[in-house]
Amino acid sequence: MGRCSLRESIRIQMIGSLTLTIQPPWSHQLNRRPTPILIKCESGGVPLTKQGQRFFSSLAATAGVNDPAAANRIIKKFVASSPKAIALNALSHLLSTRNSHPHLSAIAFPLYTKITETSWFDWNPKLVADLIALLDKQGRYDETEALISQAVSKLKFRERDLVQFYCNLIESCSKHDSKQGFNDAYGYLSELVRNSSSLYVKRQGYKSLVSSFCEMGQPNEAENVFEEMRKNGVKPSSFEFRFIIYGYGKMGFFEDMERMVSEMEIAGFEVDTICSNMVLSSYGDYNALAKMVSWLQKMKTLQIPFSVRTYNSVLNSCPGIMSLVQDINNLPLSLGELVKVLKEDEALLVKELVESSAVLDNAVECDVSEAKLDLHGMHLGSAYLIMLQWIEEMKCRFKAEEKCVIPAQITIVCGSGKHSSVRGESPVKSLLKKMMVQMKSPMKIDRKNIGCFTAKGHVVKNWLIPV
């Protein structure tokens, strides 16, 4: 079907029929009494309830016999028997760019349609924008036009709400990499921004245009919008600077990235930890380890604190360290041993990281009853390096006997795998378990909490500082 311009003619269309075709097989049945238990998707997308899992499995089973009517009955039954949170969770999962059931994406529109018929339904511009982006990617232009027309009809006399909808739309299209949808959304949003006298509308519009162009891999266009902001009297914020910095960085345009960092500083905005992590991640994506060393040194000079994400960005980019933590049978078990086996750039990166104790300090809680190291949020390389730092720190504390109060219990929190790509399998826990065995550590997996290693404080001291 061809597509008409909504700017030329806004018209209200009826929502299409529920007919659909679904790809490959699955089987299961609907849970009549849903309880909202979330399951982490393997793709890292929107966590899905068990009821949603059963719903998708039942739908997929109809694909084998190509029975749209049966699929529609399953959708109707699911919506009728599900609380609001569970129904919207299933829809949000289908609309996510990291949907782990892409073969079922065709049901997003009929599911949304059925949801709109419920008594609890509230029209949500973000949800509609996500649905439009998905439909546009699927080439379902009639439904797309109808949904946009309905949105404009609802919001045309509320300019702030309308600009928010257009912002949601262009951001959703950019995340779905829907080029035609992105171009159309750009037309709607840029026209509204140009014609509006509201500073709020202009600021919100420009903000979304900059971030969306960067998401689409066009940081040069984002910078053009950035310059247009300035010409039209809208002062850019650190948000726009950061997006353009990261946009150039993701494309490997380091000179432009570094130029924008300088412009950001000249404009009076601090280069903080968030911005620094974007720069480090960009260098890491292109294996520019020497540049990462220089940037860590700059952070130290400017007193920019490291974060867990700093560790993750740096260490994920080190092939030597990644190889070590994947082959955990040959792990160096001290910082000194680690530095010796690494190539020069990686060794320098490790030295720069461990010279600061900020990340370790934030991960440790200590009082008389318990000393706890929390590794949540750390990727494998980060957890490994922090563990080596922590061991060195604990040795130093225990050696200072007069000043050191030995806590009753030592705990290392590594997680049980609830948030891992494969539920119940924690790579960090597996790494620590191997390290404990190799180091002959007395710390064991806690019987009450399998996401922790524990031991008595005095036992750990005797292990680290043998008499």
Side-chain angles (χ1 to χ4, degrees), residues 371 387 390 409-413 432-433 436-437 440-446 452-456 459-460 463:
M387 268 299 297
W390 178 78
Q409 179 170 293
I410 308 286
T411 302
I412 301 174
V413 182
L432 258 62
K433 191 174 180 180
M436 296 301 175
V437 171
K440 297 182 173 58
S441 168
M443 301 194 71
K444 308 294 182 185
I445 295 173
D446 189 60
C452 295
F453 288 81
T454 61
K456 299 294 184 182
V459 175
V460 173
W463 166 58

Side-chain angles (χ1 to χ4, degrees), residues 233-389:
V234 182
K235 185 179 178 181
S237 68
S238 60
F239 176 91
E240 288 83 22
F241 276 107
R242 285 175 182 168
F243 254 100
I244 297 173
I245 287 167
Y246 194 44
Y248 278 127
K250 282 197 302 182
M251 303 299 292
F253 301 150
F254 294 152
E255 287 186 10
D256 288 311
M257 178 182 74
E258 291 158 3
R259 172 177 57 81
M260 289 304 298
V261 170
S262 297
E263 286 193 27
M264 182 177 177
E265 291 176 300
I266 292 168
F269 295 104
E270 286 187 355
V271 178
D272 58 7
T273 304
I274 295 173
C275 182
S276 293
N277 289 343
M278 290 177 171
V279 172
L280 288 167
S281 177
S282 300
Y283 286 145
D285 287 344
Y286 291 87
N287 201 35
L289 301 189
K291 283 185 173 291
M292 294 179 85
V293 172
S294 297
W295 191 267
L296 289 176
Q297 291 170 344
K298 177 175 179 174
M299 290 178 71
K300 191 194 311 179
T301 301
L302 296 177
Q303 297 184 320
I304 300 170
F306 295 167
S307 68
V308 169
R309 187 162 289 187
T310 307
Y311 268 59
N312 290 342
S313 296
V314 171
L315 298 172
N316 286 349
S317 306
C318 295
I321 291 177
M322 287 297 97
S323 176
L324 287 171
V325 296
Q326 296 298 333
D327 178 21
I328 55 179
N329 292 316
N330 297 301
L331 278 172
L333 298 176
S334 72
L335 289 173
E337 290 176 24
L338 174 62
V339 170
K340 286 179 183 177
V341 301
L342 295 175
K343 292 183 179 178
E344 182 180 3
D345 284 340
E346 290 191 44
L348 288 173
L349 286 171
V350 167
K351 287 179 180 177
E352 292 296 333
L353 289 175
V354 301
E355 278 184 10
S356 167
S357 63
V359 176
L360 177 61
D361 291 344
N362 287 333
V364 171
E365 295 178 14
C366 191
D367 56 33
V368 177
S369 61
E370 183 183 39
K372 183 194 298 183
L373 172 66
D374 192 344
L375 302 178
H376 274 115
M378 298 184 193
H379 297 175
L380 269 179
S382 302
Y384 169 55
L385 186 58
I386 285 291
M387 268 299 297
L388 296 184
Q389 278 187 265

Side-chain angles (χ1 to χ4, degrees), residues 125-336:
K126 177 69 171 67
L127 196 68
V128 173
D130 288 343
L131 178 59
I132 291 169
L134 177 63
L135 292 172
D136 195 277
K137 191 81 182 282
Q138 295 170 348
R140 300 175 65 177
Y141 302 132
D142 282 351
E143 291 95 335
T144 298
E145 294 284 347
L147 289 168
I148 296 176
S149 296
Q150 288 178 340
V152 173
S153 179
K154 284 177 179 289
L155 305 174
K156 60 185 176 183
F157 298 117
R158 294 179 293 174
E159 196 179 44
R160 286 191 170 206
D161 291 337
L162 183 59
V163 75
Q164 194 58 60
F165 169 70
Y166 284 150
C167 289
N168 289 335
L169 182 59
I170 196 168
E171 289 168 12
S172 295
C173 288
S174 66
K175 287 171 184 173
H176 279 277
D177 195 27
S178 173
K179 294 180 174 59
Q180 185 60 55
F182 177 85
N183 290 336
D184 287 347
Y186 169 76
Y188 308 143
L189 182 55
S190 59
E191 183 176 5
L192 179 60
V193 167
R194 277 197 306 271
N195 295 334
S196 176
S197 59
S198 166
L199 180 61
Y200 174 86
V201 168
K202 289 182 180 294
R203 183 174 296 284
Q204 295 302 310
Y206 282 132
K207 186 176 179 180
S208 288
L209 287 169
V210 167
S211 64
S212 298
F213 270 121
C214 290
E215 187 74 34
M216 292 291 285
Q218 301 178 51
N220 55 325
E221 292 295 335
E223 190 172 357
N224 290 338
V225 172
F226 182 84
E227 293 303 326
E228 184 182 317
M229 285 180 71
R230 286 172 159 170
K231 289 177 183 176
N232 291 333
V234 182
K235 185 179 178 181
S237 68
S238 60
F239 176 91
E240 288 83 22
F241 276 107
R242 285 175 182 168
F243 254 100
I244 297 173
I245 287 167
Y246 194 44
Y248 278 127
K250 282 197 302 182
M251 303 299 292
F253 301 150
F254 294 152
E255 287 186 10
D256 288 311
M257 178 182 74
E258 291 158 3
R259 172 177 57 81
M260 289 304 298
V261 170
S262 297
E263 286 193 27
M264 182 177 177
E265 291 176 300
I266 292 168
F269 295 104
E270 286 187 355
V271 178
D272 58 7
T273 304
I274 295 173
C275 182
S276 293
N277 289 343
M278 290 177 171
V279 172
L280 288 167
S281 177
S282 300
Y283 286 145
D285 287 344
Y286 291 87
N287 201 35
L289 301 189
K291 283 185 173 291
M292 294 179 85
V293 172
S294 297
W295 191 267
L296 289 176
Q297 291 170 344
K298 177 175 179 174
M299 290 178 71
K300 191 194 311 179
T301 301
L302 296 177
Q303 297 184 320
I304 300 170
F306 295 167
S307 68
V308 169
R309 187 162 289 187
T310 307
Y311 268 59
N312 290 342
S313 296
V314 171
L315 298 172
N316 286 349
S317 306
C318 295
I321 291 177
M322 287 297 97
S323 176
L324 287 171
V325 296
Q326 296 298 333
D327 178 21
I328 55 179
N329 292 316
N330 297 301
L331 278 172
L333 298 176
S334 72
L335 289 173

